[in-house]
């Protein structure tokens, strides 16, 4: 008798719980702007700070100016940057910013609104994903070189990081400046 009563009470408790259970709330995917502002930009800044602190007389990354701690930090920040770039590549849909959010450079001369950037991305979301994957691969190269304490590889990759970032910015964030940058680059060559 005791077991039957226990089973009946247990079944009623479980039935009551299941009828009150609500589906887990959906986790809102981050926006491109959130990932850029909170993850990519800070990690890139950390990478540049480590590289800049170890520039030697030959204007490259001097392994004698790098410590085990700085190599470890470089590998960590590059890996974090790689993961953040992969997060960007996986956004579906790619949403630049939530309504009412002002993005960096919005409202300044030459700056673009979130809606303008969104339109640029909507025109070619696959290119945005491809460029995010390229950033991830580049950051992965920095991380691998840092783990190997290979200054000859890490230095140029750190130097090139700005170009990798800017190529995407010119495509989506301020495409009106793309022709000017290309003109300057052609004049330099």
């Amino acid at each position: 008798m005791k077991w039957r009563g226990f089973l009946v009470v247990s079944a009623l408790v479980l039935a009551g719980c299941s009828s009150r259970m609500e589906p887990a709330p959906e986790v809102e995917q981050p926006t491109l702007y959130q990932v850029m502002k909170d993850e990519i930009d800070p990690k890139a800044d950390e990478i540049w700070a480590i590289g800049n602190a170890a520039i030697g007389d030959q204007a490259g990354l001097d392994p004698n100016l790098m410590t085990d701690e700085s190599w470890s930090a470089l590998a960590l920040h590059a890996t974090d940057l790689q993961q953040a770039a992969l997060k960007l590549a996986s956004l579906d849909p790619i949403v630049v910013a939530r309504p009412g959010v002002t993005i960096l450079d919005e409202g300044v001369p030459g700056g673009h609104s979130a809606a303008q950037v969104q339109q640029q991305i909507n025109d070619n979301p696959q290119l945005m994903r491809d460029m995010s994957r390229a950033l991830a691969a580049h950051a992965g190269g920095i991380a691998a070189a840092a783990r190997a304490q290979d200054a000859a590889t890490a230095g140029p990759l750190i130097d090139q990081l700005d170009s990798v970032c800017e190529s995407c910015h010119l495509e989506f964030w301020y495409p009106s400046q793309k022709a000017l940058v290309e003109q300057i680059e052609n004049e330099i060559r």
Side-chain angles (χ1 to χ4, degrees):
M1 263 319 215
K2 287 184 180 181
W3 278 102
R4 196 176 345 168
F6 175 75
L7 291 174
V8 170
V9 170
S10 296
L12 289 173
V13 168
L14 289 174
C17 288
S18 66
S19 66
R20 289 187 219 147
M21 291 178 72
E22 296 178 17
E26 284 189 35
V27 176
E28 197 170 61
Q29 100 171 349
T31 64
L32 178 136
Y33 183 63
Q34 285 172 314
V35 175
M36 290 294 299
K37 179 178 66 72
D38 298 340
E39 298 178 51
I40 291 187
D41 186 50
K43 295 306 172 188
D45 287 346
E46 291 290 341
I47 290 167
W48 287 317
I50 292 168
N52 288 341
I55 293 176
D57 294 338
Q58 302 300 312
L61 189 66
D62 185 342
N64 296 319
L65 298 175
M66 295 288 288
T67 64
D68 287 342
E69 292 80 19
S70 57
W71 282 117
S72 293
L74 181 60
L76 175 66
H77 295 310
T79 299
D80 288 347
L81 177 60
Q82 179 183 34
Q83 294 306 309
L86 290 172
K87 185 186 293 186
L88 281 185
S90 71
L91 293 178
D92 189 22
I94 301 170
V95 175
V96 172
R98 305 228 186 289
V101 172
T102 301
I103 62 173
L104 186 66
D105 294 338
E106 187 171 336
V108 299
H112 290 80
S113 69
Q116 289 169 313
V117 175
Q118 186 70 62
Q119 185 57 53
Q120 294 294 331
I121 291 173
N122 289 349
D123 289 346
N124 197 344
Q126 189 56 51
L127 179 60
M128 177 67 203
R129 288 186 181 92
D130 292 344
M131 293 180 113
S132 296
R133 284 186 196 94
L135 174 59
H138 193 87
I142 295 170
R147 284 190 294 274
Q149 296 190 2
D150 178 357
T153 301
L157 289 173
I158 293 169
D159 290 344
Q160 296 160 3
L161 180 58
D162 186 57
S163 295
V164 174
C165 294
E166 285 304 312
S167 65
C168 188
H169 292 181
L170 284 172
E171 194 67 43
F172 298 107
W173 228 256
Y174 31 84
S176 60
Q177 296 177 14
K178 189 174 181 179
L180 176 62
V181 170
E182 288 172 357
Q183 176 187 345
I184 292 169
E185 287 175 347
N186 287 334
E187 289 173 4
I188 294 173
R189 291 180 197 159

